[in-house]
Structure formats: C-alpha cells, structure tokens
Amino acid sequence: QVQSIEPGGGLVQAGGSLRLSCAASGRAFSDYAMGWFRQAPGKARSIVASIGQSGINTYYEDSVKGRFTISRDNAKNTVYLQMNSLGPEDTAVYYCAARQGDLAYLYLNLVDSWGQGTQVTVSS
C-alpha cells in the first residue's frame, strides 16, 4: 500500500511551487514503477507523471512537461513530484500510484495500489 507523507498538497498562488511526497510500506519499493495521477472535480482521473524502477525512465503528461519533475528515492521508499509554475488548471486531488514491474508509462488500468490522495489548489 502507498500513502502520502508530508509535505503534501495545499493552497498556492499561480506561478508558485509545491512538492508532493508518497511513501510505500510493506513491499519491495524498488520492484515497482511509480506514478502520480490527478482528478479535478467532474473530470476523469488521468496520469501526471510516472517513473520506472531505477528512476531513469520517466513519462510526463504534455501539459506538465517542463514544469513538473517526478523522482524517487528507493532507499527511503518514496516518490516525489516537484511542481513548478503552477496554474489553476493544476487544481486537483493528486494520487500516488504503484505497479509491479519496470514501466516508464504507468497506465491507469495497470495500477496495483493507490494512495489516499492529496488536494492541490492553485489560486489565480
């Protein structure tokens, strides 16, 4: 199971930055590809970014390329999402996700475990 850890989401003004963290427990973290998804009110859950087992291979949704960075620290069983240049369109609940295997792109339907989610609100 994966879950959010501090620092989590919060309220930020447009142009600001946040870093999300997600910790895993009870499993071999390095055996899993990890990712971040988000879901805005009235919209479907969609991928933001994902990262392979070693942290070398990554995927970013087009709208966050150049603004967000996904990374992982296998020694700490933690995956991070650094979010810069935030805009109101980034407002959503953000979910950490895990899938056994070395996947650079984490399909929603392939997710094995979900975190509880953390709210990110970007004001204009």
Side-chain angles (χ1 to χ4, degrees):
Q1 191 173 35
V2 295
Q3 59 193 66
S4 297
I5 60 172
E6 295 183 20
L11 176 65
V12 63
Q13 292 185 345
S17 298
L18 287 172
R19 189 176 80 155
L20 305 182
S21 300
C22 178
S25 61
R27 58 188 174 90
F29 182 78
S30 62
D31 290 340
Y32 287 78
M34 302 294 296
W36 290 94
F37 291 73
R38 65 185 178 186
Q39 187 166 22
K43 297 183 178 180
R45 188 174 301 185
S46 61
I47 193 168
V48 176
S50 56
I51 189 167
Q53 292 173 342
S54 69
I56 296 175
N57 297 317
T58 58
Y59 167 84
Y60 295 95
E61 192 271 330
D62 286 343
S63 69
V64 308
K65 288 180 180 177
R67 300 190 297 122
F68 291 10
T69 302
I70 188 170
S71 62
R72 65 191 293 163
D73 187 339
N74 288 346
K76 296 182 178 180
N77 285 10
T78 302
V79 63
Y80 306 94
L81 185 68
Q82 177 66 46
M83 304 184 291
N84 299 326
S85 301
L86 286 162
E89 69 275 11
D90 298 312
T91 295
V93 176
Y94 284 71
Y95 298 90
C96 181
R99 166 71 182 192
Q100 194 283 321
D102 196 13
L103 304 176
Y105 177 72
L106 183 53
Y107 291 92
L108 185 146
N109 290 343
L110 297 180
V111 172
D112 290 324
S113 301
W114 293 97
Q116 293 296 310
T118 185
Q119 177 70 48
V120 172
T121 301
V122 184
S123 64
S124 59

